[in-house]
Amino acid sequence: MQEICQKADTILGAGKPLEAAALYVEALRNTPHDARLWVNLGNALAAAGDRQRALNAYGHAVELCPDNAMMRFNYGSALLDGNDLDQARLHLEESARLQPDFFWTFERLGTLYHQLNDKSASLLSFDKALAMRPDDIGLVWRRCLAELSICYESELRLDEARLNYKNYLESLIKKFDPTIRHMLHTALDGIREPPFYLAYQGHNDVELQRHYGTFISNVLHAAHPAWCQSPTMPAPEPDGRWRIGFLSKYFAGHSVWKIPLRGWLEHLDRRRFRLFGYATDDARNSPAATLCDKFVHGDRPVEEIARIVAEDRLHALIFPEVGMDWKTICLAALKLAPLQLAGAGHPQTTGLDSIDLFLSSKMMEPPDAIQHYSEKLALLPNLSSCNYSPPYAETPPARETLGLPKKGILFFCPQSLFKYLPRFDDIYARIAEGVSDAKFLFIRHEISPGVTACFKDRLRKHFKQRGLDPVRHLVFLPRLSATGFGQICGASDIFLDSLEWSGNNTSLEAIWRGTPIVTMPGKMMRGRHAAANLTMAGQTATICANVEEYVKVAIDLANSPGKRKMLSMELRQNRAGAFGDLECVRGLEELLEMEIRSRIF
């Protein structure tokens, strides 16, 4: 049996987890009560991507050795990776109690508490871990990120978080020494977590993103010095075409694919451009495979993807989003093409010196937009993307079939809860004062009951202050499928847009369904999506100038069924204007040609 285990360990170390798992299973037939073998099996299955069987194996180990801190840690960590936060908490906290000097338990508890929206517990756990490994730059970065909660109790807490994040990030940049191998190694591991929630705070992030860009660039340039300098712009191909690359994790299904990637790939003039697609994940079934002259996919290391891209000697490389996928961020920090552009799939400046242009929408940007970007801003015509209509049936099922209230005015509020800012919480209670049967349909946070509870508490306070029963007006739906989302959108009376982070894909869904939208353009592009989409669909009556008007229009629509019906008919008749626009693609073609030529001659 020992010989089988040693062989399995060797095979697992060689990167063959399924073969190793088979050998561990064979060994367990003879020694089913060996907890360490169950852990090894769990490790092999986890490496093979078989999460459920890995959880089962770790669970067996805990049953055999309930007082073993390492067994608890493995099980709790796997549960955390599977988003089972309550069970993960139980086992990780027990692991910490059993072995209070184990670094990895506190590192994982920091992540767990952050997802539960328990900021104080998260910071305390990270600080305990840092006391054991003060030079772990990856851990310092995750501690820095923990300052950015998913959901805030108040605007005061949000402002405090921004200041703390800024100060901690500045100290991190000073602390990081890329010549110290341990620091570089831990930094490369830590940057797998981007500052995703920063963009949803309703403020101009250009200064903070420049700091982040400095940190990321310092790490990536130290790790990959071969790709620090911009390559020379190559000559056009013999037939005069330019080689344009697109690098993303989201080549199917995701909103980045819908807006803007798909439209660009389908409609760019192939007589002028050869298209190259680079997926940072497994995208073997992506439609992009047939739209690109070359399509590379798979879960490859950053350096391998960088080498493939660099060897293709592109004229331009477009990142449809920079800010959600850590591999994309790392690759965007390098110089793999002489012209590099970021798209608005994640509508926030990258802060990276390696990105030359930020592609945005002429209709969505405010007059002072240049102040919001570290890159040169390039405004494409109209919405900047050629959108596609949702592939769903026109008529939604009856409300009761969808689990919705049978009576009342349904206000659909479909954004992720972290997009709703505390400064606007009172608008729902104010609307309810004017609409006695108002029902506000929100969607619970996908994994965290703590985030949902935080948001509920904020809204309940405002309803109670106005003498209203929050239970009567607030409805929290489970996570919706794409089809379910469209059906509930169509069954709702009014779509209430979130403020300072406007729905883009979601407002297009409402336009297609003919659901009237109430919106208010924000200070930055990410707060102006719905207004631009409505303008393209020929309907501007429900685009509001301020919060007072937003509340008034929502109440007026709720109490005017005839007006709602008229607006719905208008949207259905004119919705084509928001879809299938090719002017933005032509604008991208001209921009690429101009920018490439300016760098080659």
Side-chain angles (χ1 to χ4, degrees), residues 396-440:
R399 286 182 174 187
E400 52 268 33
T401 305
L402 297 171
L404 299 176
K406 294 182 181 180
K407 297 181 180 180
I409 297 296
L410 301 188
F411 290 95
F412 194 30
C413 311
Q415 306 305 325
S416 297
L417 297 185
F418 50 78
K419 295 181 180 180
Y420 293 97
L421 296 169
R423 72 193 77 154
F424 301 119
D425 284 348
D426 68 330
I427 64 175
Y428 307 102
R430 290 171 62 186
I431 292 170
E433 279 188 319
V435 185
S436 60
D437 58 349
K439 308 288 185 184
F440 300 94

Coordinates of all heavy atoms in Angstrom, one line a residue, residues 396-440:
P396 N -44.0 37.1 -21.5 CA -43.6 36.4 -20.3 C -44.8 35.6 -19.7 O -45.9 35.9 -20.0 CB -43.2 37.5 -19.4 CG -44.0 38.7 -19.8 CD -44.2 38.5 -21.3
P397 N -44.4 34.5 -19.0 CA -45.5 33.8 -18.3 C -46.2 34.6 -17.3 O -45.8 35.8 -16.9 CB -44.7 32.6 -17.6 CG -43.4 32.6 -18.2 CD -43.1 34.0 -18.7
A398 N -47.3 34.1 -16.7 CA -48.1 34.9 -15.7 C -47.2 35.1 -14.5 O -46.3 34.3 -14.2 CB -49.3 34.1 -15.3
R399 N -47.5 36.1 -13.7 CA -46.7 36.5 -12.6 C -46.6 35.3 -11.6 O -45.5 35.0 -11.1 CB -47.3 37.7 -11.8 CG -47.1 39.0 -12.5 CD -47.8 40.1 -11.7 NE -47.5 41.4 -12.2 CZ -47.8 42.6 -11.6 NH1 -48.4 42.5 -10.4 NH2 -47.5 43.7 -12.1
E400 N -47.7 34.7 -11.3 CA -47.7 33.6 -10.3 C -46.8 32.4 -10.7 O -46.2 31.8 -9.9 CB -49.1 33.1 -10.0 CG -50.0 32.7 -11.2 CD -50.8 33.9 -11.7 OE1 -50.3 35.0 -11.6 OE2 -51.9 33.6 -12.2
T401 N -46.8 32.2 -12.0 CA -45.9 31.2 -12.5 C -44.4 31.5 -12.3 O -43.6 30.6 -12.0 CB -46.1 31.0 -14.1 OG1 -47.5 30.8 -14.3 CG2 -45.2 29.9 -14.6
L402 N -44.1 32.8 -12.2 CA -42.7 33.2 -12.0 C -42.4 33.4 -10.5 O -41.3 33.8 -10.1 CB -42.5 34.5 -12.7 CG -42.5 34.4 -14.3 CD1 -42.5 35.9 -14.9 CD2 -41.4 33.6 -14.8
G403 N -43.4 33.1 -9.7 CA -43.2 33.3 -8.2 C -43.3 34.8 -7.8 O -42.7 35.2 -6.7
L404 N -43.9 35.6 -8.6 CA -44.0 37.1 -8.3 C -45.4 37.4 -7.7 O -46.4 36.6 -7.8 CB -43.9 37.9 -9.6 CG -42.6 37.7 -10.4 CD1 -42.7 38.5 -11.7 CD2 -41.4 38.1 -9.6
P405 N -45.5 38.5 -6.9 CA -46.7 38.9 -6.4 C -47.8 39.1 -7.5 O -47.5 39.7 -8.5 CB -46.4 40.2 -5.7 CG -44.9 40.2 -5.4 CD -44.4 39.4 -6.5
K406 N -49.0 38.6 -7.2 CA -50.1 38.7 -8.2 C -50.5 40.2 -8.4 O -50.9 40.6 -9.5 CB -51.2 37.8 -7.9 CG -51.0 36.4 -7.9 CD -52.2 35.6 -7.5 CE -51.9 34.1 -7.5 NZ -53.2 33.3 -7.2
K407 N -50.6 40.9 -7.3 CA -51.1 42.3 -7.3 C -50.0 43.3 -7.1 O -48.9 42.9 -6.5 CB -52.2 42.4 -6.3 CG -53.4 41.5 -6.6 CD -54.5 41.8 -5.5 CE -55.7 40.9 -5.7 NZ -56.7 41.1 -4.7
G408 N -50.2 44.5 -7.5 CA -49.3 45.6 -7.2 C -48.5 46.0 -8.4 O -48.5 45.3 -9.4
I409 N -47.8 47.1 -8.3 CA -46.9 47.6 -9.3 C -45.5 47.0 -9.1 O -44.9 47.2 -8.0 CB -46.9 49.1 -9.3 CG1 -48.2 49.7 -9.6 CG2 -45.8 49.7 -10.3 CD1 -48.8 49.4 -11.0
L410 N -45.0 46.3 -10.0 CA -43.7 45.6 -9.9 C -42.6 46.5 -10.5 O -42.6 46.8 -11.7 CB -43.7 44.3 -10.6 CG -44.7 43.2 -10.1 CD1 -44.5 41.9 -10.8 CD2 -44.7 43.1 -8.6
F411 N -41.8 47.0 -9.6 CA -40.6 47.7 -10.0 C -39.4 46.8 -10.0 O -39.0 46.2 -9.0 CB -40.3 48.9 -9.0 CG -41.2 50.0 -9.0 CD1 -42.3 50.1 -8.1 CD2 -41.1 51.1 -9.9 CE1 -43.2 51.1 -8.1 CE2 -42.0 52.1 -9.9 CZ -43.0 52.2 -9.0
F412 N -38.8 46.5 -11.2 CA -37.7 45.6 -11.3 C -36.4 46.3 -11.1 O -36.1 47.3 -11.7 CB -37.7 45.0 -12.7 CG -36.8 43.8 -12.9 CD1 -36.6 42.9 -11.8 CD2 -36.3 43.5 -14.1 CE1 -35.8 41.8 -12.0 CE2 -35.5 42.4 -14.3 CZ -35.2 41.5 -13.2
C413 N -35.7 45.9 -10.0 CA -34.4 46.5 -9.6 C -33.4 45.4 -9.7 O -33.0 44.8 -8.7 CB -34.5 47.1 -8.2 SG -36.0 48.1 -7.9
P414 N -32.9 45.1 -10.9 CA -32.2 43.8 -11.1 C -30.7 43.8 -11.0 O -30.0 42.8 -11.2 CB -32.5 43.5 -12.6 CG -32.5 44.9 -13.2 CD -33.0 45.8 -12.2
Q415 N -30.1 44.9 -10.5 CA -28.6 44.9 -10.5 C -28.1 44.1 -9.3 O -28.8 44.0 -8.3 CB -28.1 46.4 -10.4 CG -28.6 47.2 -11.5 CD -28.4 46.7 -12.9 OE1 -27.4 46.0 -13.2 NE2 -29.3 46.9 -13.8
S416 N -26.8 43.7 -9.4 CA -26.1 43.1 -8.2 C -26.2 44.1 -7.1 O -26.0 45.3 -7.3 CB -24.7 42.8 -8.6 OG -24.6 41.8 -9.6
L417 N -26.4 43.7 -5.9 CA -26.6 44.5 -4.7 C -25.5 45.5 -4.5 O -25.7 46.6 -3.9 CB -26.9 43.7 -3.5 CG -28.2 42.8 -3.6 CD1 -28.4 42.1 -2.2 CD2 -29.4 43.6 -4.0
F418 N -24.2 45.1 -4.8 CA -23.1 46.0 -4.6 C -23.1 47.3 -5.5 O -22.3 48.2 -5.3 CB -21.8 45.3 -4.7 CG -21.6 44.5 -5.9 CD1 -21.2 45.1 -7.1 CD2 -21.7 43.1 -5.8 CE1 -21.0 44.3 -8.2 CE2 -21.5 42.3 -7.0 CZ -21.2 42.9 -8.2
K419 N -24.0 47.3 -6.5 CA -24.1 48.4 -7.4 C -25.1 49.5 -6.8 O -25.1 50.6 -7.3 CB -24.7 48.0 -8.7 CG -23.7 47.1 -9.5 CD -24.3 46.7 -10.8 CE -23.3 45.7 -11.6 NZ -23.9 45.3 -12.9
Y420 N -25.8 49.2 -5.7 CA -26.7 50.2 -5.1 C -26.0 50.9 -4.0 O -25.5 50.3 -3.0 CB -27.9 49.5 -4.6 CG -28.8 48.9 -5.6 CD1 -28.7 47.5 -6.0 CD2 -29.7 49.7 -6.3 CE1 -29.5 47.0 -7.0 CE2 -30.5 49.1 -7.3 CZ -30.4 47.8 -7.7 OH -31.1 47.2 -8.7
L421 N -25.9 52.2 -4.1 CA -25.1 53.1 -3.2 C -26.0 53.5 -2.0 O -27.2 53.9 -2.3 CB -24.5 54.3 -3.9 CG -23.5 53.9 -5.0 CD1 -23.1 55.1 -5.8 CD2 -22.2 53.3 -4.3
P422 N -25.5 53.6 -0.8 CA -26.3 54.1 0.3 C -26.9 55.4 0.1 O -28.0 55.7 0.7 CB -25.3 54.1 1.5 CG -24.2 53.1 1.1 CD -24.1 53.2 -0.4
R423 N -26.2 56.3 -0.6 CA -26.7 57.7 -0.8 C -28.1 57.7 -1.5 O -28.7 58.8 -1.4 CB -25.7 58.5 -1.5 CG -25.5 58.2 -3.0 CD -24.3 58.8 -3.6 NE -23.1 58.1 -3.3 CZ -22.0 58.1 -4.0 NH1 -21.9 58.8 -5.1 NH2 -20.9 57.4 -3.7
F424 N -28.4 56.6 -2.2 CA -29.7 56.6 -2.9 C -30.8 55.7 -2.3 O -31.8 55.5 -2.9 CB -29.5 56.2 -4.4 CG -28.5 57.1 -5.1 CD1 -27.3 56.6 -5.6 CD2 -28.8 58.5 -5.3 CE1 -26.4 57.5 -6.3 CE2 -27.9 59.3 -5.9 CZ -26.7 58.8 -6.5
D425 N -30.5 55.2 -1.1 CA -31.4 54.2 -0.5 C -32.8 54.7 -0.3 O -33.8 53.9 -0.3 CB -30.8 53.7 0.8 CG -29.7 52.8 0.7 OD1 -29.4 52.3 -0.4 OD2 -29.0 52.5 1.7
D426 N -33.0 56.0 -0.1 CA -34.3 56.5 0.3 C -35.3 56.6 -0.9 O -36.5 56.8 -0.7 CB -34.2 57.9 1.0 CG -33.7 59.0 0.1 OD1 -33.0 58.6 -0.9 OD2 -34.1 60.1 0.3
I427 N -34.7 56.5 -2.1 CA -35.6 56.7 -3.3 C -36.8 55.6 -3.3 O -37.9 55.9 -3.7 CB -34.9 56.7 -4.6 CG1 -34.2 55.3 -4.9 CG2 -33.9 57.8 -4.7 CD1 -33.6 55.3 -6.3
Y428 N -36.5 54.4 -2.8 CA -37.5 53.4 -2.9 C -38.7 53.6 -1.9 O -39.8 53.5 -2.3 CB -36.9 52.0 -2.6 CG -35.7 51.8 -3.6 CD1 -34.4 52.0 -3.1 CD2 -35.8 51.5 -4.9 CE1 -33.3 51.8 -3.9 CE2 -34.8 51.4 -5.8 CZ -33.5 51.6 -5.3 OH -32.4 51.5 -6.1
A429 N -38.3 54.1 -0.7 CA -39.4 54.4 0.3 C -40.1 55.6 -0.2 O -41.4 55.7 0.0 CB -38.7 54.7 1.6
R430 N -39.4 56.6 -0.8 CA -40.1 57.8 -1.4 C -41.1 57.4 -2.5 O -42.2 58.0 -2.6 CB -39.1 58.8 -1.8 CG -38.3 59.4 -0.7 CD -37.1 60.3 -1.3 NE -37.6 61.4 -2.1 CZ -36.8 62.2 -2.8 NH1 -35.5 62.0 -2.7 NH2 -37.3 63.2 -3.5
I431 N -40.7 56.5 -3.3 CA -41.6 56.0 -4.4 C -42.8 55.3 -3.8 O -43.9 55.5 -4.2 CB -40.8 55.1 -5.4 CG1 -39.8 55.9 -6.2 CG2 -41.8 54.4 -6.3 CD1 -38.9 55.1 -7.0
A432 N -42.5 54.5 -2.8 CA -43.6 53.7 -2.1 C -44.6 54.6 -1.4 O -45.8 54.3 -1.4 CB -43.0 52.7 -1.1
E433 N -44.2 55.8 -1.0 CA -45.1 56.8 -0.4 C -46.2 57.2 -1.5 O -47.3 57.5 -1.1 CB -44.4 58.0 0.1 CG -43.7 57.8 1.5 CD -43.2 59.1 2.0 OE1 -42.5 59.8 1.2 OE2 -43.3 59.3 3.2
G434 N -45.7 57.3 -2.7 CA -46.6 57.7 -3.8 C -47.3 56.6 -4.5 O -48.2 56.8 -5.4
V435 N -46.9 55.3 -4.2 CA -47.4 54.1 -4.9 C -47.7 53.1 -3.8 O -46.8 52.3 -3.4 CB -46.5 53.6 -5.9 CG1 -47.1 52.4 -6.7 CG2 -46.0 54.6 -6.9
S436 N -48.9 53.1 -3.3 CA -49.2 52.3 -2.1 C -49.0 50.8 -2.3 O -48.7 50.0 -1.4 CB -50.7 52.5 -1.7 OG -51.6 52.2 -2.7
D437 N -49.2 50.3 -3.6 CA -49.0 48.9 -3.8 C -47.7 48.6 -4.5 O -47.6 47.6 -5.2 CB -50.2 48.3 -4.6 CG -50.4 49.1 -6.0 OD1 -49.7 50.1 -6.2 OD2 -51.2 48.6 -6.8
A438 N -46.7 49.4 -4.3 CA -45.4 49.2 -5.0 C -44.7 47.9 -4.4 O -44.7 47.7 -3.2 CB -44.5 50.4 -4.8
K439 N -44.1 47.2 -5.3 CA -43.3 46.0 -5.0 C -42.0 46.2 -5.7 O -41.9 46.2 -6.9 CB -43.9 44.7 -5.4 CG -45.4 44.5 -5.0 CD -45.5 44.2 -3.5 CE -46.9 43.9 -3.1 NZ -47.1 43.7 -1.7
F440 N -40.9 46.2 -4.9 CA -39.6 46.4 -5.5 C -38.9 45.0 -5.5 O -38.6 44.4 -4.5 CB -38.7 47.4 -4.7 CG -39.4 48.8 -4.6 CD1 -40.2 49.1 -3.5 CD2 -39.2 49.7 -5.6 CE1 -40.8 50.3 -3.4 CE2 -39.7 51.0 -5.5 CZ -40.6 51.3 -4.4

